Amino acid sequence: MNDLDDPALIQETDPSDFLGSVERLPDQVRDAHERARRVEGLPPADGIDSIAVLGMGGSGISGDVLQVALGPRSPLFVATLRGYELPDWVDRNTLVFAMSYSGNTEETLETFEKALERNIPIVAVTTGGALSQRAKQHGLAVVEIPAGLQPRAALGYLAVPLLVVCERIGAGPPAGEAVSETIDLLQGRADEYHRKSPLESNPAKELAQRLLGKIPVVYGSEGLAEVAAYRWKCQFNEVAKVPAWSNSFPELNHNEIVGWERLGKVTRAHAALLVLRDEGEHPRIAKRIDITLPLIQGSVSLVHQVRGRGASALARLFDLVYFGDFVSTYLAIAQGVDPAPVEVIESLKRALGDV
Ligand code: F6R
């Protein structure tokens, strides 16, 4: 196991400084906010009743962040569309966000082209690629974000512009306060989880070490923490290169909970249960979690609960997400694995002729 307090070992295992891009997320959120405020040519929001966010993987999750940030009281129907199909409800009353960090993701380009054919208001968020080219040809607004990051390390650049655009066109509430709160909160967390903060006082390093050799199963409560749980799962997969699964309360109480009954010997040796909590969770969900955890405890090697802080939904979501980003990065480094490359994804895209 690699020593997480050894800066030379961190550098050797993480030559492209993926950890640095995680540490700099607060600056990224600030920069994303400023860029989105400057973008010109945004479509009008007249008649908009829904928002469709087109994107895959690290780009697509921005749609889930938008949904959480707008909250359950928003009159707009918001959906993240991950795939090739553009459902018929996406029409001229829908605002479309076409999200692709590289600008070259096949599925996103296909749904984007379908949206163009339907003459739908579209805003693109990308570093360039075919998406940027096509969007500019059609005179669409493009939020240009800096290249050189892994998409999953660019969540600030990918998610924050959506809130700002919604605010600017009158389709969402003012974003400034929630964004400022998020930056301040993340800055404090960046210091707490920073590589220079030693293991004994660094909860991210500590949890990463406990997860060595384990398969994380991440549960979150409906809504905000559910999105965070899915993000944790994806980061364990892509950053730490380990299998991981996520699910949410209350749905898992109606199926997955039964699956812990058998194979206890196997799951006790390998599964680690992480439970993400949000202070805004429904009181019945809090009760469900209290009842469920003792039922599962004997079937897993550890149970660890994480609570997000913050006043706004955006800050609380980013708080949970940020901890998971650090934990998965330290887990990669502790295993001696470079957190940055995702060779399997790249070779799959090459085989499909996508890049
Ligand atoms: C890689 C990553 C992936 C990509 C996905 C889509 O870091 O997070 O999940 O985000 O393959 O690619 P883009 O984001 O370029 O559209």
Side-chain angles (χ1 to χ4, degrees), residues 179-200:
V179 171
S180 305
E181 187 206 0
T182 303
I183 294 168
D184 291 347
L185 192 90
L186 292 182
Q187 195 52 66
R189 294 300 203 189
D191 297 340
E192 190 182 348
Y193 307 146
H194 199 273
R195 72 185 79 193
K196 287 187 184 147
S197 162
L199 198 139
E200 68 265 17

Side-chain angles (χ1 to χ4, degrees), residues 56-59 100-103 105 150-152 238 342 345 349:
M56 305 302 298
S59 292
S100 173
Y101 187 78
S102 61
T105 296
Q150 284 290 330
R152 63 192 184 282
E238 291 185 71
V342 279
I345 298 179
K349 286 182 178 180

Side-chain angles (χ1 to χ4, degrees), residues 45-123:
D46 308 336
I48 295 290
D49 59 14
S50 52
I51 298 177
V53 182
L54 320 178
M56 305 302 298
S59 292
I61 198 157
S62 58
D64 302 341
V65 176
L66 176 68
Q67 197 166 15
V68 163
L70 292 179
R73 306 275 111 64
S74 167
L76 296 172
F77 172 67
V78 183
T80 308
L81 301 177
R82 298 173 162 98
Y84 292 96
E85 300 295 345
L86 193 69
D88 280 356
W89 64 259
V90 182
D91 60 18
R92 287 186 192 196
N93 295 326
T94 308
L95 170 65
V96 162
F97 286 105
M99 311 294 305
S100 173
Y101 187 78
S102 61
N104 290 320
T105 296
E106 178 180 292
E107 300 92 316
T108 312
L109 289 174
E110 182 155 334
T111 44
F112 168 73
E113 290 295 332
K114 287 173 178 162
L116 277 179
E117 277 163 26
R118 288 183 208 172
N119 227 344
I120 291 172
I122 307 175
V123 176

Side-chain angles (χ1 to χ4, degrees), residues 313-340:
L314 185 72
R316 297 207 305 281
L317 174 60
F318 264 95
D319 190 36
L320 284 174
V321 163
Y322 204 32
F323 187 42
D325 285 3
F326 271 99
V327 172
S328 53
T329 308
Y330 285 131
L331 180 57
I333 293 167
Q335 296 175 112
V337 165
D338 184 346

Side-chain angles (χ1 to χ4, degrees), residues 165-292:
V165 169
C166 284
E167 170 190 350
R168 286 186 52 199
I169 67 174
E177 209 175 301
V179 171
S180 305
E181 187 206 0
T182 303
I183 294 168
D184 291 347
L185 192 90
L186 292 182
Q187 195 52 66
R189 294 300 203 189
D191 297 340
E192 190 182 348
Y193 307 146
H194 199 273
R195 72 185 79 193
K196 287 187 184 147
S197 162
L199 198 139
E200 68 265 17
S201 56
N202 186 327
K205 288 183 180 176
E206 207 258 322
L207 182 57
Q209 203 162 34
R210 291 175 68 204
L211 291 174
L212 269 169
K214 305 288 178 225
I215 297 176
V217 176
V218 195
Y219 287 172
S221 37
E222 175 189 5
L224 190 155
E226 176 181 2
V227 171
Y230 180 62
R231 165 75 175 189
W232 277 56
K233 171 222 139 38
C234 294
Q235 295 295 80
F236 282 130
N237 298 149
E238 291 185 71
V239 180
K241 282 82 175 167
V242 295
W245 282 275
S246 69
N247 207 334
S248 65
F249 288 97
E251 175 64 11
L252 71 92
N253 277 162
H254 299 271
N255 34 60
E256 186 159 320
I257 187 177
V258 191
W260 292 107
E261 275 181 29
R262 308 281 300 169
L263 305 185
K265 248 194 207 157
V266 178
T267 56
R268 240 188 329 277
H270 301 292
L273 183 62
L274 306 171
V275 186
L276 309 187
R277 309 289 299 266
D278 174 43
E279 64 182 37
E281 71 196 9
H282 193 290
R284 295 296 291 170
I285 290 194
K287 182 147 195 186
R288 281 173 181 277
I289 296 176
D290 288 346
I291 298 171
T292 304

